[in-house]
């Protein structure tokens, strides 16, 4: 990991100590970034013409507020393109992952 990011394994104990404390937080936001060494696999899966160096980031924002959890995917590109294939594909990758591991309603 770079100096700008911390792995989930590194931050997990801190997050759990906050959540399991005496007072549950009223708002919590976590932003996860897919490691850049996974970009090639995602781009192949998406049949995208982009290269890994074109991606600035693939993110998952998790917001807990008002007793609800909101998940928002995000993409960041280092190049200009009108092609939104990577956006749709990243949404589908995250949706599939969530369906595999959680019993949730996806809107």
């Amino acid at each position: 990991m770079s100096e700008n990011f911390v792995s989930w394994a590194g931050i997990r104990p801190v997050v759990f100590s906050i959540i399991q404390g005496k007072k549950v937080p009223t708002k919590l936001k976590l932003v996860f970034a897919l490691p850049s060494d996974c970009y090639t696999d995602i781009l192949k899966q998406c049949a995208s013409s982009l290269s890994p160096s074109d991606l600035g980031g693939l993110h998952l924002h998790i917001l807990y507020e008002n007793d609800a959890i909101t998940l928002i995917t995000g993409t960041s590109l280092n190049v200009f393109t009108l092609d939104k294939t990577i956006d749709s594909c990243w949404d589908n990758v995250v949706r599939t992952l969530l369906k595999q591991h959680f019993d949730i309603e996806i809107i």
Side-chain angles (χ1 to χ4, degrees):
M1 288 273 133
S2 76
E3 63 188 46
N4 296 325
F5 299 99
V6 63
S7 69
W8 175 242
I11 196 73
R12 184 178 180 198
V14 175
V15 172
F16 280 113
S17 71
I18 292 169
I19 294 170
Q20 295 173 347
K22 293 180 182 178
K23 186 176 179 183
V24 177
T26 56
K27 182 177 181 178
L28 178 68
K29 181 177 182 179
L30 301 171
V31 179
F32 293 94
L34 186 72
S36 59
D37 59 350
C38 297
Y39 291 172
T40 301
D41 292 336
I42 294 293
L43 291 169
K44 284 180 187 175
Q45 184 177 340
C46 298
S48 174
S49 61
L50 295 172
S51 69
S53 63
D54 293 337
L55 291 177
L58 296 171
H59 302 94
L60 176 61
H61 300 251
I62 302 174
L63 177 63
Y64 171 77
E65 187 175 31
N66 299 324
D67 294 324
I69 296 175
T70 303
L71 303 169
I72 301 170
T73 59
T75 58
S76 173
L77 299 175
N78 295 324
V79 295
F80 176 78
T81 180
L82 294 174
D83 183 2
K84 300 300 180 191
T85 304
I86 191 67
D87 297 335
S88 298
C89 184
W90 179 236
D91 288 347
N92 289 331
V93 167
V94 171
R95 187 177 289 118
T96 300
L97 176 75
L98 293 171
K99 285 181 180 179
Q100 288 175 347
H101 297 283
F102 302 100
D103 181 22
I104 61 170
E105 176 186 0
I106 298 177
I107 300 173

